Amino acid sequence: MAYQVVEKSAALDTLEAQLQERQSRLEALQVRVAQLQEARGLQARQVEDQRAQNAAQREAYEALRVHTSFQEAALRRLQEEARDLLERLVQGKARAAAERNLRNERRERAHQERVTQELKKAAKRTVSISESPDTFGDDGTKKGSETLTLALATEPEPLDSETCEKWKRPFRSASATSLTLSRCVDVMKGLLDFKKRRGHSVGGVPEQRYQSIPVCMVARLPTWAQDVLDAHLSEVNAVRFGPNSSLLATGGADRRIHLWNVVGGRLKASQTLEGAGGSITSVDFDPSGSQVLAATYNQAAQLWKVGEAQSKQETLSGHTDKVTAAKFKLTKHQAVTGSRDRTVKEWDLGRAYCCRTINVLSYCNDVVCGDHVIISGHNDQKIRFWDSRGPRCTQVIPVQGRVTSLSLSHDQMHLLSCSRDDTLKVIDLRVSNIRQVFRADGFRCGSDWTKAVFRYVHLPVLSTCVPSNPGVGVCSPLSPSPLHGCCSPDRSYALAGSWDGTLYIWDVDTGKLESSLRGPHCAAVNAVAWCHAGSHVVSVDQARKIVLWY
């Protein structure tokens, strides 16, 4: 029993040691539970705070959304009011011009009536013509004074013999009749000049529309590269000739426009236009050649003045994606831009204001403008026609391949399109039908902005080039002459550059490949331009080069 008591005591000691260990662990766990409960309470309080903040932010968002809707409604109302004010202003100016014209016409009629009355009175007036009393004859003797009376009437009366004899006598003094007649002639000239000066209304400025003037020059197809330059710091995307055929502009990915003069078969740098916010995709001159418009990748178009030392640019902002095309209309005060935001916008350049937005349903790669039509080429392989006086699309012509460029003929009867199916198509706008499709072995469209151009080339005929209206420059064959040639639109050509740097020229009338020019280009040709005189061609490529062809 004593042995069992000892064993039981040892077992009891072991159990007591285990109990103390477990009690210490329980205390540690209770402390941990307290800490976790405290952390849980803190997390719960943070969750409540976050919920309160979210609710406050939700309420602020709703308030801002309501305020934004109110602001948008107010903006729409202000835009409508601005349009109404503009219409009323235009109508007021038109009424003021009409009233001013009416007043001028009344004043002119009153002036004409007054002059007519003066002429009638002068015709009925009797004028005395007398010689000086100190008149000496040929023999040196002094003669007496002689008086001659001349009655001015509407119808001449027969003169008797005595009067005829008096008319034969010499006299020195200037006659009052000659003065009166000269004054009448001056008055009539003044009236004619006044009528000529009254050609335009003084109540408003007439819109300037520029028409191209035919140039008496024999054009020919280019055959060789005359000049080669590294034009930009990176690839060149666009090139365009000015109206005078000696000034051209190039734009590239370096965000600059360089102006060049063609002098003696060489390209000479004239001016650099900076300030574009992105890569330049197209350039265009206004009809007078005084402004340059460029489309850029910074969702805007830029407008510069040509020839100014520090040229300031106007920014036409409003697109929400890259602007791929920017063209002037028939006046220098209006322009059209196309963008990848699926819109085409018309601009009033006098106020840098977007006067119309057209939703075109697809990426727009190029636009051209006619008299009353806007033509846009798109990424969905379609060419769309828009009436500039109406809101809807008037016609859609499908083509195979994404449209990269459009070029309108001078007579606005044919449209040239270039597309990514490696073809050029000539569309007859009179019947809205594809007239020709140009292909060539080796020709491939190098990019989505590859530009092709139309060109009418005038062939010489043996006739004298004489202006039909002197000072205007319009040619009309009058008589044969071996010294000069007169321009006649005998051929039209399509020009485009390929991915391998080759230029291809097709005859539009026959549809045959006329020639292919291989030269200094070692990369894809992005754009080409044919001068208005027809004497030279310029091409630009992705390797920074600009080439002048003759």
Side-chain angles (χ1 to χ4, degrees):
M1 293 177 63
Y3 180 74
Q4 289 179 357
V5 169
V6 172
E7 288 181 352
K8 295 293 184 181
S9 298
L12 181 61
D13 292 337
T14 303
L15 292 174
E16 288 179 351
Q18 291 178 357
L19 178 61
Q20 290 179 356
E21 181 180 359
R22 290 180 179 179
Q23 286 179 351
S24 61
R25 288 176 59 191
L26 179 61
E27 291 176 355
L29 290 173
Q30 289 177 350
V31 172
R32 179 63 177 167
V33 167
Q35 292 177 353
L36 291 176
Q37 288 179 350
E38 183 178 0
R40 180 177 177 277
L42 180 61
Q43 293 290 336
R45 289 192 297 271
Q46 290 179 356
V47 168
E48 292 297 330
D49 294 340
Q50 290 292 335
R51 288 177 178 175
Q53 291 179 4
N54 290 340
Q57 290 181 357
R58 189 178 296 107
E59 292 177 358
Y61 169 74
E62 292 294 333
L64 286 176
R65 189 173 61 81
V66 173
H67 181 68
T68 302
S69 63
F70 289 155
Q71 292 292 333
E72 289 178 351
L75 177 61
R76 286 193 293 271
R77 287 196 300 271
L78 289 175
Q79 288 177 347
E80 293 176 358
E81 292 177 0
R83 284 194 293 269
D84 294 338
L85 289 174
L86 181 61
E87 291 178 359
R88 288 200 294 269
L89 177 62
V90 172
Q91 293 174 1
K93 286 186 176 181
R95 287 194 297 269
E99 292 175 359
R100 183 66 62 86
N101 291 337
L102 184 59
R103 287 197 298 269
N104 289 338
E105 290 176 0
R106 290 175 179 173
R107 191 180 299 113
E108 182 184 356
R109 286 197 296 268
H111 184 65
Q112 289 179 352
E113 292 176 359
R114 189 165 54 250
V115 171
T116 303
Q117 294 296 331
E118 290 180 1
L119 289 175
K120 289 180 179 179
K121 291 179 181 179
K124 296 178 180 179
R125 188 180 304 162
T126 301
V127 182
S128 297
I129 303 175
S130 61
E131 291 185 355
S132 175
D134 297 333
T135 303
F136 292 89
D138 294 336
D139 55 356
T141 61
K142 182 177 180 179
K143 294 184 178 180
S145 63
E146 295 179 1
T147 303
L148 175 64
T149 301
L150 175 63
L152 296 176
T154 56
E155 294 181 0
E157 297 180 354
L159 299 177
D160 54 6
S161 59
E162 184 178 359
T163 306
C164 292
E165 290 176 0
K166 288 184 179 180
W167 272 107
K168 294 178 182 179
R169 298 173 184 173
F171 58 93
R172 295 183 184 178
S173 60
S175 66
T177 304
S178 63
L179 292 176
T180 305
L181 291 176
S182 62
R183 181 178 178 276
C184 294
V185 172
D186 293 337
V187 170
M188 296 303 295
K189 287 183 177 180
L191 285 175
L192 294 175
D193 292 339
F194 177 75
K195 292 187 71 176
K196 289 180 181 178
R197 289 193 302 269
R198 240 189 110 261
H200 295 287
S201 168
V202 297
V205 179
E207 188 70 21
Q208 296 181 359
R209 294 173 67 91
Y210 296 87
Q211 300 294 336
S212 61
I213 298 175
V215 180
C216 183
M217 182 177 295
V218 177
R220 52 185 172 76
L221 296 180
T223 55
W224 74 90
Q226 181 75 14
D227 196 9
V228 182
L229 294 175
D230 287 335
H232 290 258
L233 300 178
S234 57
E235 65 175 315
V236 190
N237 297 326
V239 61
R240 187 79 171 182
F241 271 100
N244 61 357
S245 298
S246 62
L247 180 66
L248 71 145
T250 58
D254 58 355
R255 305 181 180 184
R256 295 179 181 178
I257 291 180
H258 292 301
L259 300 181
W260 309 83
N261 285 320
V262 180
V263 181
R266 291 290 183 268
L267 292 170
K268 295 186 179 298
S270 173
Q271 189 180 1
T272 299
L273 305 177
E274 299 180 351
S279 299
I280 295 172
T281 56
S282 78
V283 293
D284 190 26
F285 281 95
D286 74 324
S288 65
S290 60
Q291 298 180 100
V292 173
L293 181 65
T296 64
Y297 269 9
N298 69 332
Q299 305 178 4
Q302 304 289 142
L303 182 67
W304 287 271
K305 294 286 186 180
V306 176
E308 295 184 359
Q310 294 181 351
S311 182
K312 298 180 181 180
Q313 72 270 11
E314 293 285 345
T315 301
L316 307 179
S317 58
H319 288 286
T320 58
D321 205 338
K322 300 175 182 178
V323 180
T324 54
K327 299 291 179 62
F328 283 98
K329 298 185 76 174
L330 294 181
T331 69
K332 68 177 182 179
H333 303 296
Q334 293 177 323
V336 175
T337 58
S339 171
R340 293 196 174 185
D341 62 359
R342 298 179 175 87
T343 62
V344 170
K345 292 182 180 290
E346 295 185 64
W347 300 87
D348 182 353
L349 299 181
R351 298 177 299 164
Y353 170 73
C354 177
C355 54
R356 183 187 178 196
T357 299
I358 304 172
N359 295 317
V360 295
L361 306 176
S362 179
Y363 290 170
C364 179
N365 290 329
D366 201 5
V367 295
V368 292
C369 304
D371 288 332
H372 300 294
V373 67
I374 299 173
I375 308 173
S376 55
H378 299 276
N379 217 42
D380 61 353
Q381 305 179 11
K382 293 181 181 179
I383 299 174
R384 293 179 170 88
F385 295 76
W386 310 86
D387 190 343
S388 59
R389 299 164 296 183
R392 295 183 179 180
C393 179
T394 59
Q395 190 176 4
V396 177
I397 297 179
V399 293
Q400 295 179 354
R402 298 191 299 272
V403 180
T404 65
S405 74
L406 299 174
S407 179
L408 191 63
S409 65
H410 177 71
D411 55 7
Q412 299 186 13
M413 294 183 181
H414 297 88
L415 178 71
L416 177 68
S417 70
C418 180
S419 54
R420 289 308 301 266
D421 62 347
D422 302 329
T423 62
L424 274 68
K425 301 176 182 65
V426 177
I427 300 172
D428 192 337
L429 300 181
R430 295 168 294 185
V431 295
S432 301
N433 191 16
I434 296 177
R435 173 186 169 186
Q436 293 279 3
V437 178
F438 300 139
R439 294 183 178 87
D441 295 337
F443 174 76
R444 288 174 54 190
C445 189
S447 64
D448 285 345
W449 52 89
T450 299
K451 298 295 187 294
V453 294
F454 249 138
R455 181 59 192 164
Y456 278 91
V457 174
H458 303 279
L459 299 180
V461 296
L462 293 178
S463 60
T464 305
C465 180
V466 179
S468 60
N469 185 8
V472 178
V474 180
C475 301
S476 64
L478 296 180
S479 60
S481 172
L483 299 179
H484 302 282
C486 184
C487 305
S488 59
D490 295 330
R491 286 286 185 270
S492 54
Y493 293 92
L495 171 65
S498 178
W499 68 281
D500 59 353
T502 305
L503 269 62
Y504 292 84
I505 303 176
W506 288 271
D507 191 324
V508 175
D509 297 329
T510 62
K512 296 181 179 179
L513 180 65
E514 189 71 20
S515 66
S516 59
L517 305 178
R518 301 181 184 272
H521 287 299
C522 57
V525 176
N526 284 334
V528 291
W530 207 323
C531 75
H532 298 280
S535 57
H536 44 275
V537 169
V538 170
S539 57
V540 295
D541 64 12
Q542 296 180 3
R544 305 181 300 167
K545 282 187 172 58
I546 175 173
V547 180
L548 176 64
W549 302 82
Y550 268 84

